[in-house]
Amino acid sequence: MTTIKDSVVLVTGGSRGLGKALVEELYERGAAKVYATARDPRAVTHPDAVPLALEVTDPASVAAVAARTPDVTVLINNAGISLGAHSLLDAPLDDVRREFETNFYGPLLVTRALVSVIERNGGGHLLNVHSVLSWLGIAGSYSATKAALWSQTNSLRLELRPRGIEVTGLHVGYIDTDMTSGIDAPKSDARDVAALALDGVEAGAHEVLADDLTRSVKAGLSGDLAALYPQLAL
């Protein structure tokens, strides 16, 4: 079982939104050190966090961060992008590729670089930030990247368990952050989601479903597709 108190955590995308909330919540729970990454580390504002420059799609950048964080016991893959490539038929293919590079290959690169570090430190935890769109194909390539990340997380859970590393996937709908500022829909508070996510880590949960929408969609996966996609019933 993972305990946040006295742990050493690396949070990708730790300068704003959910990542910033996770950094704050980690320190509230007594983490010994939190590395917060961003493309521009000057964007990391928490006074106690250790800011690090990271581009998750660049293997050299990932390797440099891994070399500077030899004490990590918990990795949180939070960094991600949405370019609005909602049509798989019409969106620029470069946008589709960029979303996959960041949302799927990015977490994989960081995980591969940090697994041996966490293992040397006696084991620990991996938290991957997914989305309710892991299970709803309504956002084009973004949905596809999150579905792929969900599958990646499930596979890593099986691979890492024998190495003393537990894995949790966080699924959530809209969070009240800069990314969703233009969306008129119910949104969760980032600190509430961060607290639920870390509750799940400390409880050893395989998945955290952070809101009613996410719980409803997950439950609906066993039913007819028309229940999730009403347009199919027309």
Side-chain angles (χ1 to χ4, degrees), residues 119 156-165:
E119 192 173 23
L156 287 171
R157 186 177 294 110
L158 301 177
E159 286 196 61
L160 293 178
R161 183 173 181 141
R163 300 175 67 168
I165 302 173

Side-chain angles (χ1 to χ4, degrees), residues 4 9 11 13-14 16-29 34 46 74 76 78 127-129 168-177 187-203 208-211:
I4 298 301
V9 188
V11 181
R16 61 194 182 100
L18 178 59
K20 181 180 179 181
L22 283 162
V23 172
E24 294 168 353
E25 185 68 21
L26 285 162
Y27 275 117
E28 285 288 327
R29 297 186 184 216
V34 181
H46 195 286
V74 177
I76 300 179
N78 166 70
L127 171 66
N128 278 346
V129 177
T168 298
L170 169 65
H171 295 265
V172 62
Y174 292 125
I175 305 173
D176 191 10
T177 66
K187 300 172 188 176
S188 299
D189 183 87
R191 280 300 296 267
D192 292 340
V193 175
L196 288 170
L198 297 183
D199 285 347
V201 167
E202 294 197 299
V208 173
L209 311 183
D211 55 30

